[in-house]
Amino acid sequence: RGSARPLASSLLLAAAALTRPEGNLFALVVGLFFAGEILLRRRRLRAGLVWALPYLAIVAAHLLWRLAYYGEWLPNSFHAKVPGAWWEQGWRYLSLFDDDYGILWFVPVALLAVLAGRRYVHGLFGALIGTYLLYVLYVGGDRFEFRFLVVVMPWFYWLLADGLRRIAAFRGGGDGRAGLAARAVAAALALALLATTHLGSRSADAAGLRHGVASIEIIRDYAKRRAESGKFLREWIDRGLLPRDAVLCVGGAGALPYYTDWPTVDRRGINDLTVARTPIAGRGVIGHEREASYEYLLERKVVILDMFNRIVFDENILAGRFRVKRYGSAQVPLKGFRLGERYLVFGTLASEAEIRRLFGHLEPAR
């Protein structure tokens, strides 16, 4: 009522913009609709100012602080993960979602709600979804299943529900049989939506890795393994058997740096200004295409380089096998040490003297 709704909307959108940079897309669409309402004299200019000023003040203050502190308008993670447009991969990403859930069959129902709806919210939801999907197409989607689509699904399903309601309400000039048929069609579509959602969530094809897009199962198992490895290493650090300050370099950051508290270089550039602006050699796994150079890792004095996207193993993977692994154009020596019944295996850019100083008390993996 009054200015409460515009103010709440403004604060919510400002929070979205501070959370992720694409939150500003939603604010842009809402702002254009708000401006249209003012031009059509459906809302007062005062309501528009109540909406715009808090959002602009919060977002502008944050952007200016970011520029002053980091010297950048956008988060470092955006630079690291979005090297440019990748429409083809974005199309694959959306196509995989349709392959699993058959969502295109229900798009006409949502469009019916947008086209037939006379309320402001119908057009707004449709515009928000369309704008955001264009953004997803532009950046190429995401590595981790369909989390990029979660944000717009409530709006899409709201439109679906309204479209089904309109179909069920169709009377065809008062003919009872037409109304009954319309309700049957609406019910069948609703049941089909439930069925495709259920089948899609249990699809065997969706449990693997497709076009670089990992399933929930793969993500869960990977995260579980990394967390377990991090906790295991933490125990050895707390016992004084592993160093507390060895520089770690990983491609899958998160659990290992968190639990070990080792100084960490993300070779993909998430936490590194230099790597995040390293040109990519070519398109690869979406969001994981940056690669720190060998020379830069030397400069950062990396001791533990996660060469296998895993550094704790249940068996000695070096036994009777290679002792070096290529990183870019360089050959990186591999080191392994026994930790109880398990093995710590990593590449290193440290000298032999440094390795002996840090790990010389441990049993080498032979």
Side-chain angles (χ1 to χ4, degrees):
R1 294 184 179 90
S3 61
R5 287 184 179 178
L7 179 59
S9 170
S10 177
L11 295 176
L12 182 62
L13 288 165
L18 298 187
T19 303
R20 292 183 65 92
E22 59 263 37
N24 290 290
L25 288 176
F26 300 132
L28 173 63
V29 174
V30 173
L32 290 174
F33 269 71
F34 220 125
E37 292 281 289
I38 294 172
L39 292 175
L40 294 173
R41 300 183 182 277
R42 295 174 181 171
R43 293 180 185 266
R44 296 180 178 179
L45 178 61
R46 180 177 179 275
L49 294 175
V50 168
W51 177 85
L53 292 180
Y55 169 82
L56 292 174
I58 293 171
V59 173
H62 179 257
L63 286 175
L64 291 174
W65 171 82
R66 180 191 286 157
L67 182 65
Y69 191 84
Y70 295 108
E72 296 288 342
W73 290 107
L74 290 170
N76 191 67
S77 55
F78 186 89
H79 291 286
K81 291 194 172 190
V82 185
W86 198 3
W87 299 97
E88 182 183 5
Q89 178 65 15
W91 182 253
R92 289 195 196 102
Y93 184 74
L94 295 182
S95 297
L96 287 174
F97 185 73
D98 180 59
D99 290 344
D100 290 350
Y101 297 100
I103 205 69
L104 281 180
W105 290 100
F106 305 98
V107 168
V109 180
L111 286 176
L112 172 65
V114 173
L115 297 175
R118 297 179 179 274
R119 294 169 56 197
Y120 170 87
V121 70
H122 291 87
L124 177 61
F125 282 1
L128 286 168
I129 294 169
T131 301
Y132 182 72
L133 290 183
L134 280 175
Y135 167 79
V136 172
L137 282 169
Y138 171 80
V139 300
D142 185 41
R143 164 71 167 172
F144 302 121
E145 223 227 28
F146 303 121
R147 62 175 181 168
F148 271 25
L149 302 181
V150 171
V151 66
V152 296
M153 293 312 292
W155 300 328
F156 181 72
Y157 276 91
W158 188 93
L159 291 173
L160 276 182
D162 189 75
L164 291 173
R165 180 186 64 81
R166 292 176 183 278
I167 292 173
F170 179 75
R171 293 294 178 269
D175 188 339
R177 288 177 297 180
L180 182 61
R183 289 193 292 274
V185 169
L189 286 170
L191 290 173
L193 179 63
L194 291 173
T196 56
T197 301
H198 174 72
L199 293 173
S201 66
R202 299 173 64 85
S203 170
D205 292 338
L209 183 66
R210 300 173 296 173
H211 299 295
V213 179
S215 67
I216 291 177
E217 290 80 6
I218 290 176
I219 299 163
R220 179 195 61 213
D221 293 344
Y222 176 76
K224 181 179 179 181
R225 187 185 79 229
R226 296 291 272 193
E228 192 275 334
S229 295
K231 293 175 183 177
F232 173 78
L233 294 172
R234 182 74 253 172
E235 293 175 0
W236 284 76
I237 293 170
D238 290 340
R239 290 163 57 188
L241 298 174
L242 284 178
R244 293 184 177 274
D245 58 354
V247 178
L248 170 70
C249 178
V250 293
L256 286 184
Y258 176 78
Y259 287 109
T260 63
D261 202 29
W262 282 333
T264 301
V265 179
D266 188 320
R267 60 193 273 196
R268 308 300 182 192
I270 300 299
N271 71 340
D272 192 283
L273 190 70
T274 299
V275 181
R277 285 149 185 79
T278 299
I280 62 173
R283 302 313 303 242
V285 176
I286 185 71
H288 295 67
E289 297 161 289
R290 306 289 187 189
E291 188 75 64
S293 69
Y294 176 81
E295 292 73 20
Y296 183 68
L297 297 187
L298 273 175
E299 180 184 329
R300 292 295 304 273
K301 298 180 171 57
V302 169
V303 174
I304 301 174
L305 175 56
D306 185 3
M307 299 287 285
F308 304 98
N309 210 7
R310 182 175 185 175
I311 62 176
V312 176
F313 296 84
D314 293 329
E315 60 182 18
N316 180 15
I317 66 167
L318 299 182
R321 297 176 61 190
F322 50 86
R323 290 287 174 166
V324 296
K325 188 172 177 15
R326 181 173 292 278
Y327 183 90
S329 59
Q331 294 284 352
V332 175
L334 298 175
K335 300 295 179 180
F337 299 94
R338 187 166 184 169
L339 301 179
E341 299 301 317
R342 308 177 76 181
Y343 294 86
L344 172 65
V345 179
F346 56 89
T348 188
L349 284 75
S351 66
E352 287 296 326
E354 181 71 0
I355 293 296
R356 284 195 299 271
R357 183 181 73 84
L358 295 172
F359 304 100
H361 56 284
L362 296 173
E363 178 185 347
R366 301 186 184 281

